[in-house]
């Protein structure tokens, strides 16, 4: 589901040295006489966003700074004739009502600026900045600062406004580069309000937190998720793509998968492998068969995998893939596949904790290709997850072809510079058609390096390219493409659960059907009441995103969609066991949802019903429609409420909004204790799109909490309050004794858990992988492993898990090859080192033992760290993994630049959160405006 207003944040931007801009394609033009017709080259402009003061109010609004650099020496920016467009998760205060809005409008008026919503509908996160007659022109080469109040707070660069473009004299808008700055050492920039006591991550804090110790791992501990039992018997077995795989006809697919997976490592021959099923298989010896269970035995005669069922056999295959040495994968990825690989002789037995082990991917906010989804499906299978919840629709996009409704993809799957929304949805969340054309934005960067202001993005943290139109705002799956995804999932025994989010978060569909009506006069699927005067604003700023439950077109539309989806699944031969109804975040109070709708007042079925009654009526009908195609449904907790008697047949809620102190902490257990099946989706521990920690360069939101792999691994499905030790602002917390505890009977109604990856900040496949790994690995452990550690045992279990990551799993993922797809490797997050300097000696550590640390005293030469070493007053550190990639740089005691101080050549300083190296001795200007004296280190 999505992220509520006070729950989630915005985006941020800043400026780059001239050299970087030139590398990005921005010309620094020679001086020339200015004229009325002279406008700066848009690429020679740069807009930087920086939060500068959160103390001006306490959690109402903060003061930010827009810094405009005009590096075009010929032309300045006049007092009229231009408009700058951008999107922002944080609303400018000037568009708000009441006193904050009045103050914000006056603040801008005093600087000769106005800010307003840019689209005709006045709906969403799209804004325009224009000059007034009082605006003082920007001279060629000038840097101009504009103060602007923004709502709430902005603690990470992800919060920066994005997708900046400039239009001259009403012409087509052109891309203008953008950047974000945030100084982690300035409390005014990093402390959201007086109650925010969460410290910013830095080298010293990481050093103190990295208490993990290196251990020698047993065979059982080297497998993730850990099996019930695994015993090595000594010696090895030779295997390869040429091994004879023996399997009955009903396991033909599993046998082919295994051959392909081994063939990706080496074509060599090896010992035979036998696959078979035994429906009576009882791996935990409780006298009952274990669904999805398996045994794996490797010995002198080869390997045998026995599954209770076909999924169990595939799980055994994935375990076999994990015990292949990482070096074999690395050699294969480098094109040096050798002879047969050696796996240990062993006996392994395993079965899952939960039948539902899910991952949700939002492709509506930002689209992802079918191949990206398939790679995630293979990685899900690798970690024994079995449910892909695919969020196909939202306000910002509709992502699947529905035969007979071409407007859904022709209009609803497209974002463009189209303020009137004549042919597409307007720009949103910083993106239109990625870096491609046809979306109304001219002069965009030609590639990600240009969009990233001259440096190839590493996607080991925030990158400026996500502010510069990188991101698939447009795109959809054709019927054939979606069926390819379904077949790929079916081969891995993964069920794909499509989500169609209604009645809220439905803007793409609702407005697409409005276009259908306006273009053709066909009102069959119209979901709005044209006479409705109800007013509501969603978390994302939309005022027109709700389908009306009182008009018949809403139900005809849903019936059409479900009917076509049923055919699509049938055509792929894939099971459609469940449809997600969505149902999250209806905006505003229930009494305002459709209070002004004549259709609701005049329809005998709905007349006199309040908002909640209309909502229940809608979901009753929507559930019945969905169940004509799938036997079961699910949706967000917003649909039902454990305090009421309203329930839906065949429906399973996903409780998500358990933020400590918000009042829904115990909804999951209340549902379960009442006999309602539940899928756990708690935001505090399972939202992978939330930022790893409070570091300005960590991408993601933080409305619920900061979520890392420790959050997912230490999550306790049957005692979620074990993690309630502090609130989202870092303040100590004690679980409320009135929160409902899970009963033994209620425990039977926990079907499983689902890790969520919403798409607001998932602009590229690499960022999606960064968000998911290693967080998804902790979630997989808790979904599969039957031995959930108690709070007392958790520290030791966590220590083992970090060792598994550092010694085994990360090296495997570095060369991971998804079966049936090109390419190798996963862009997992590489942890930054911790470090401290005492008496000139550097000590460093890293969260995951087994990973290599490097250090540098000049940012140019890097040396492997093996123990405390003399470095002087400051140093830089980073983590390196086996594929050669490195983490972001972690400065240790590097001083901040000070005006007037003298610096020697090679000196390191930080300035506004960035790292610089002196190119020559002297003092000079600030590093960001003195490229001849300072070089930005990234």
């Amino acid at each position: 589901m999505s992220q509520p207003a006070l729950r989630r944040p915005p985006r941020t931007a800043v400026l780059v040295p001239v050299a970087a801009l030139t590398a990005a394609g921005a010309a620094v033009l020679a001086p020339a006489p200015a004229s009325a017709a002279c406008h700066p080259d848009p690429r020679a402009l740069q807009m930087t966003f920086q939060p500068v003061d959160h103390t001006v109010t306490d959690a109402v609004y903060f003061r930010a700074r827009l810094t405009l650099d005009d590096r075009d020496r010929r032309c300045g920016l006049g007092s009229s004739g231009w408009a700058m467009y951008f999107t922002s998760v944080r609303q400018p205060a000037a568009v708000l009502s009441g006193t904050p809005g009045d103050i914000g409008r006056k603040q801008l008026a005093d600087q000769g600026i106005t800010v307003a919503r840019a689209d005709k509908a006045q709906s969403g996160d799209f804004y325009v900045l224009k000059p007034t007659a009082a605006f003082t022109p920007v001279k060629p080469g000038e840097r101009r600062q504009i103060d602007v109040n923004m709502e709430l707070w902005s603690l990470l660069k992800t919060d920066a406004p994005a997708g900046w473009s400039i239009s001259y004299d009403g012409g087509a808008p052109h891309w203008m580069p953008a950047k974000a700055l945030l100084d982690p050492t300035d409390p005014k920039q990093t402390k959201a309000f007086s109650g925010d006591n969460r410290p910013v991550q830095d080298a010293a804090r990481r050093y103190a937190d990295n208490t993990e110790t290196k251990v020698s791992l047993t065979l059982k501990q080297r497998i993730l998720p850990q099996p019930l039992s695994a015993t090595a018997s000594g010696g090895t077995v030779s295997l390869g793509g040429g091994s004879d795989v023996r399997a009955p006809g009903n396991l033909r697919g599993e046998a082919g998968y295994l051959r392909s997976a081994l063939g990706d490592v080496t074509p060599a021959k090896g010992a035979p492998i036998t696959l078979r099923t035994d429906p009576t298989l009882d791996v935990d010896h409780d006298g009952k068969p274990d669904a999805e269970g398996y045994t794996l035995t490797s010995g002198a005669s080869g390997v045998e995998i026995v599954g209770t069922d076909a999924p169990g056999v595939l799980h055994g295959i994935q375990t076999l893939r994990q015990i292949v040495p990482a070096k074999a994968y690395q050699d294969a990825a480098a094109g040096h596949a050798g002879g047969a690989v050696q796996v240990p002789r062993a006996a392994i037995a395993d079965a899952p904790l939960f039948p539902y082990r899910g991952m949700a991917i939002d492709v509506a906010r930002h689209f992802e290709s079918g191949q990206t989804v398939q790679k995630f499906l293979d990685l899900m299978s690798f970690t024994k997850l079995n449910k892909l919840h695919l969020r196909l629709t939202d306000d910002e996009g509709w992502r699947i072809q529905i035969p007979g409704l071409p407007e859904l993809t022709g209009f609803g799957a497209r974002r463009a510079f189209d303020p009137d929304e004549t042919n597409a949805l307007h720009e949103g969340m910083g993106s239109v058609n990625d870096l491609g054309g046809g979306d109304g934005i001219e002069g965009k960067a030609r590639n990600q390096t240009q969009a990233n202001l001259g440096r190839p993005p590493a996607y080991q943290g925030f990158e400026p390219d996500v502010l510069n139109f990188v991101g698939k705002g447009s795109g959809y799956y054709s019927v054939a493409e979606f069926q390819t995804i379904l077949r790929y999932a079916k081969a891995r025994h993964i069920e794909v659960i499509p989500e169609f989010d209604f009645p809220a978060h439905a803007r793409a569909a609702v407005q697409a059907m409005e276009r259908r009506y306006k273009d053709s006069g066909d009102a069959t699927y119209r979901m709005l009441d044209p006479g409705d005067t109800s007013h509501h604003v969603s978390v994302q700023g939309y005022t027109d995103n709700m389908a009306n439950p009182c008009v018949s077109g809403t139900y005809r539309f849903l019936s059409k969609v479900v009917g076509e989806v049923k055919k699509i699944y049938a055509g792929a031969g894939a099971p459609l066991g469940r449809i997600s109804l969505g149902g999250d975040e209806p905006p505003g109070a229930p009494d305002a949802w459709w209070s002004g709708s004549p259709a609701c007042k005049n329809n005998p079925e709905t007349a006199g019903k309040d908002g909640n009654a209309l909502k229940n009526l809608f979901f009753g009908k929507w559930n019945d429609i969905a169940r004509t195609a799938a036997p079961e449904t699910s949706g967000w907790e917003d649909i039902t409420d454990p305090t009421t008697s309203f329930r839906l047949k065949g429906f399973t809620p996903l409780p998500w909004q358990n933020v400590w102190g918000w009042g829904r902490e115990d909804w999951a257990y209340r549902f379960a204790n009442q006999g309602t099946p539940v899928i756990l989706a708690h935001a505090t521990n399972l939202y992978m799109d939330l930022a790893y920690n409070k570091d300005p360069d960590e991408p993601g939101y933080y409305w619920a909490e900061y979520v890392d792999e420790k959050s997912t691994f230490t999550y306790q499905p049957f005692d979620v309050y074990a993690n309630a030790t502090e609130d989202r602002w870092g303040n100590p917390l004690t679980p409320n004794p009135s929160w409902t505890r899970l009963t033994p009977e209620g425990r039977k109604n926990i079907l499983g858990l689902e890790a969520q990856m919403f798409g607001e900040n998932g602009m590229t496949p690499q960022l999606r992988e960064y968000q998911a790994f290693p967080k998804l690995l902790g979630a997989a452990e808790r979904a599969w492993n039957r031995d959930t550690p108690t709070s007392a045992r958790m520290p030791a279990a966590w220590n083992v898990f970090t060792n598994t990551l550092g010694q085994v799993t990360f090296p495997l993922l570095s060369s991971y090859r998804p079966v049936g797809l090109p390419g190798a490797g996963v862009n997992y997050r590489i942890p930054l080192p911790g470090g401290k300097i005492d008496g000139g000696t550097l000590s460093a550590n890293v969260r995951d033992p087994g990973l290599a640390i490097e250090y540098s005293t000049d940012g140019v030469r890097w040396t492997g760290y093996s123990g405390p070493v003399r470095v002087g007053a400051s140093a830089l550190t980073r983590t390196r993994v086996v594929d050669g990639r490195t983490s972001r740089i972690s400065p240790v005691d590097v001083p901040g630049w000070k005006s007037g101080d003298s610096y020697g050549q090679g000196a390191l300083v930080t300035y506004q959160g960035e790292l610089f190296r002196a190119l020559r001795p002297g003092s000079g200007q600030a590093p960001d405006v003195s490229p001849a004296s300072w070089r930005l280190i990234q």
Side-chain angles (χ1 to χ4, degrees):
M1 109 346 357
S2 1
Q3 310 152 27
L6 288 178
R7 320 167 194 174
R8 27 179 261 162
R11 319 172 191 224
T12 325
V14 171
L15 311 165
V16 184
V18 172
L21 273 178
T22 306
V28 179
L29 305 174
S35 70
C38 184
H39 296 303
D41 181 338
R43 288 202 185 190
L45 299 174
Q46 181 171 296
M47 182 64 79
T48 297
F49 174 87
Q50 184 172 13
V52 293
D53 194 353
H54 283 94
T55 68
V56 293
T57 67
D58 209 29
V60 179
Y61 59 83
F62 65 96
R63 187 171 77 249
R65 180 159 295 149
L66 296 174
T67 303
L68 177 68
D69 274 4
D70 181 1
R71 293 185 170 94
D72 185 337
R73 297 181 183 178
R74 302 176 307 160
C75 302
L77 205 59
S79 59
S80 63
W82 57 267
M84 295 180 184
Y85 297 90
F86 63 96
T87 70
S88 178
V89 174
R90 284 289 177 259
Q91 298 181 90
V95 306
L96 303 176
S97 60
T99 301
D102 293 338
I103 293 172
R105 286 183 285 275
K106 183 179 186 303
Q107 173 196 47
L108 294 179
D110 290 345
Q111 301 171 87
I113 291 290
T114 64
V115 170
R117 297 189 187 278
D119 60 302
K120 182 179 179 181
Q122 299 287 282
S123 178
D125 67 345
F126 187 35
Y127 301 96
V128 60
L129 184 153
K130 293 181 179 180
T132 69
F135 182 75
T136 303
V138 177
K139 299 175 183 178
E142 182 184 349
R143 166 176 285 198
R144 173 70 56 83
Q145 292 182 336
I146 300 169
D147 283 353
V148 53
N149 291 342
M150 307 288 286
E151 66 170 345
L152 299 176
W153 46 71
S154 175
L155 304 181
L156 304 182
K157 293 178 181 178
T158 297
D159 297 340
W164 285 87
S165 64
I166 187 167
S167 168
Y168 294 125
D169 301 324
H174 288 246
W175 168 55
M176 54 182 288
K179 189 182 174 185
L181 289 181
L182 205 159
D183 187 347
T185 67
D186 182 354
K188 287 188 174 183
Q189 296 185 40
T190 61
K191 188 178 175 74
F193 66 107
S194 59
D196 177 10
N197 292 305
R198 186 175 295 280
V200 178
Q201 284 281 315
D202 58 17
R205 183 159 300 280
R206 284 189 293 273
Y207 187 84
D209 289 345
N210 290 343
T211 58
E212 297 77 18
T213 56
K214 191 169 185 178
V215 298
S216 296
L217 297 170
T218 66
L219 176 63
K220 178 179 177 179
Q221 293 169 339
R222 297 177 69 85
I223 300 167
L224 197 158
Q226 270 194 32
L228 282 171
S229 65
T231 304
S233 56
T236 61
V237 180
S238 298
L239 297 177
S243 290
D244 180 20
V245 179
R246 304 163 183 172
N250 66 321
L251 296 178
R252 185 180 299 109
E254 289 70 25
Y257 184 94
L258 176 57
R259 291 188 190 99
S260 179
L262 290 176
D264 285 342
V265 181
T266 175
K269 293 183 178 181
I273 305 172
T274 301
L275 308 178
R276 64 182 180 89
T277 56
D278 176 1
T280 67
L281 186 65
D282 176 15
V283 297
D284 60 3
H285 308 296
D286 66 351
K288 295 179 293 186
D290 295 298
E292 299 187 73
Y294 71 91
T295 60
L296 186 158
T297 307
S298 55
S301 60
V303 174
E304 181 183 54
I305 297 174
V306 182
T308 312
D309 43 31
V313 171
L314 186 61
H315 298 324
I317 290 171
Q318 299 297 11
T319 294
L320 181 62
R321 291 178 74 196
Q322 286 199 32
I323 62 176
V324 170
K327 181 65 163 56
Y329 288 105
Q330 293 158 18
D331 289 344
H336 307 308
V341 297
Q342 304 299 313
V343 301
R345 296 187 181 189
I348 301 171
D350 206 3
L353 171 64
F354 290 125
Y356 190 110
R357 305 177 303 280
M359 176 185 182
I361 302 179
D362 168 15
V363 295
R365 269 58 177 273
H366 284 97
F367 183 66
E368 284 300 342
S369 71
Q371 185 167 304
T372 296
V373 173
Q374 288 172 273
K375 182 176 181 180
F376 269 105
L377 283 164
D378 203 67
L379 285 161
M380 288 174 64
S381 178
F382 190 65
T383 52
K384 302 181 175 67
L385 300 177
N386 65 349
K387 309 289 183 182
L388 173 63
H389 172 180
L390 200 56
R391 189 174 174 93
L392 292 166
T393 70
D394 213 302
D395 297 319
E396 295 83 8
W398 180 281
R399 305 304 186 189
I400 183 172
Q401 179 187 10
I402 300 297
L405 298 178
E407 297 82 5
L408 285 174
T409 49
F411 177 89
R414 295 185 62 235
R415 292 211 289 264
F417 182 82
D418 189 350
D420 291 342
E421 296 185 302
T422 303
N423 299 305
L425 298 171
H426 62 65
E427 179 181 337
M429 296 188 168
S431 66
V432 279
N433 187 33
D434 205 11
L435 297 181
D439 56 19
I441 304 292
E442 299 188 3
K444 283 187 293 186
R446 293 189 298 274
N447 51 51
Q448 288 179 327
T449 296
Q450 284 192 345
N452 209 46
L453 307 179
R455 178 179 58 84
Y459 295 119
Q460 279 298 311
F462 175 85
E463 298 283 12
D465 67 345
V466 301
L467 305 180
N468 293 301
F469 290 108
V470 165
K472 300 178 185 68
S474 298
Y476 68 91
Y477 306 117
S478 68
V479 168
E481 289 168 336
F482 194 72
Q483 288 178 330
T484 297
I485 292 173
L486 293 177
R487 294 187 186 100
Y488 193 88
K490 181 185 177 184
R492 287 151 184 77
H493 300 290
I494 296 174
E495 178 187 355
V496 178
I497 302 165
E499 179 181 346
F500 302 98
D501 198 358
F502 285 85
H505 283 298
R507 188 173 191 268
V510 167
Q511 296 305 323
M513 292 303 97
E514 282 298 287
R515 292 307 168 279
R516 180 185 181 94
Y517 170 71
K518 291 176 182 178
D519 292 345
S520 67
D522 180 5
T524 304
Y525 303 111
R526 196 178 190 193
M527 289 180 276
L528 291 183
D529 173 5
D532 192 355
T533 60
S534 309
H535 181 71
H536 40 69
V537 182
S538 77
V539 169
Q540 294 78 16
Y542 292 107
T543 60
D544 53 0
N545 72 334
M546 289 186 75
N548 191 303
C550 308
V551 299
S552 58
T554 295
Y555 304 108
R556 284 195 294 264
F557 174 83
L558 294 172
S559 296
K560 170 68 172 174
V561 168
V562 165
E564 295 297 335
V565 168
K566 183 178 181 179
K567 295 176 188 175
I568 291 171
Y569 273 73
L576 179 55
R578 186 186 297 270
I579 291 175
S580 172
L581 310 179
D584 60 314
E585 296 186 327
D591 58 3
W593 288 338
W594 302 283
S595 58
S597 170
C600 292
K601 295 173 182 175
N602 297 330
N603 183 340
E605 187 180 22
T606 59
K609 286 183 166 61
D610 64 13
N612 267 321
L614 290 174
K615 183 194 83 165
N616 292 348
L617 173 72
F618 168 80
F619 282 119
K621 291 189 170 188
W622 180 199
N623 192 59
D624 288 344
I625 290 168
R627 294 186 72 239
T628 63
E632 296 180 300
T633 59
S634 57
W636 304 108
E637 68 181 24
D638 314 57
I639 292 175
T640 58
D641 182 333
T643 67
T644 70
S645 60
F646 178 70
R647 294 293 184 272
L648 297 170
K649 188 175 182 180
F651 174 79
T652 303
L654 280 79
W656 61 275
Q657 198 179 157
N658 72 313
V659 181
W660 315 123
W662 280 12
R664 295 189 182 183
E665 300 89 343
D666 63 355
W667 273 30
Y669 292 169
R670 294 176 75 173
F671 278 127
N673 290 350
Q674 293 168 8
T676 300
V678 166
I679 299 164
L680 302 173
H682 285 138
T684 55
N685 291 77
L686 298 175
Y687 270 45
M688 297 182 297
D689 57 291
L690 297 181
Y692 277 88
N693 54 50
K694 190 178 180 181
D695 177 335
D697 283 303
E698 282 296 341
Y701 292 147
Y702 45 93
W703 57 268
E705 182 56 279
Y706 294 93
V707 174
D708 64 4
E709 68 273 24
K710 192 169 187 178
S711 307
T712 56
F713 180 83
T714 60
Y715 179 70
Q716 296 190 39
F718 304 122
D719 183 14
V720 297
Y721 314 135
N723 292 105
T725 57
E726 61 181 24
D727 66 16
R728 62 185 178 137
W729 300 113
N731 300 297
L733 177 74
T734 301
N736 189 327
S738 69
W739 290 344
T740 299
R741 292 280 173 173
L742 189 64
T743 64
E745 283 301 307
R747 178 171 173 148
K748 298 175 184 177
N749 291 314
I750 305 296
L751 299 186
L753 61 83
E754 185 174 283
Q756 311 294 321
M757 184 164 63
F758 288 92
E760 294 96 325
N761 299 299
M763 274 78 161
T764 70
Q766 297 95 327
L767 276 174
R768 301 272 192 159
E769 292 177 9
Y770 179 94
Q771 290 175 331
F773 292 94
K775 296 182 197 182
L776 187 64
L777 302 172
E781 191 74 29
R782 294 286 70 85
W784 178 276
N785 191 340
R786 294 189 178 188
D787 184 18
T788 304
T790 62
S791 295
R793 293 172 49 221
M794 192 63 79
W798 165 248
N799 192 73
V800 169
F801 180 71
T802 60
N803 274 269
T804 303
L805 293 182
Q807 297 182 45
V808 182
T809 313
F810 284 160
L812 283 175
L813 292 178
S814 281
S815 302
Y816 181 87
R817 178 173 290 179
V819 175
L821 297 176
V826 175
N827 186 49
Y828 56 85
R829 179 182 183 269
I830 304 170
L832 280 69
K836 68 173 185 177
I837 293 176
D838 187 5
T841 296
L842 168 70
S843 297
N845 58 18
V846 67
R847 166 175 275 191
D848 303 305
L851 298 182
I853 301 172
E854 298 177 337
Y855 71 95
S856 174
T857 56
D858 60 7
V860 177
R861 293 171 293 274
W862 291 86
T863 303
Y865 174 86
S866 57
V869 60
R870 294 284 299 177
V871 294
S874 66
L876 307 177
T877 62
R878 67 187 185 188
T879 306
R880 180 177 291 276
V881 294
V882 295
D883 57 28
R885 295 179 303 126
T886 60
S887 70
R888 300 195 302 277
I889 293 173
S890 176
V892 185
D893 293 347
V894 174
W897 177 84
K898 292 182 180 179
S899 177
D901 282 6
S902 182
Y903 297 94
Q905 184 174 348
L908 301 175
V909 298
T910 62
Y911 181 71
Q912 299 288 24
E914 295 189 308
L915 184 65
F916 292 88
R917 176 177 181 270
L919 298 177
R920 60 190 183 189
S923 53
Q925 296 177 292
D928 65 330
V929 293
S930 185
S933 299
W934 296 94
R935 174 165 296 163
L936 181 66
I937 299 176
Q938 297 172 296

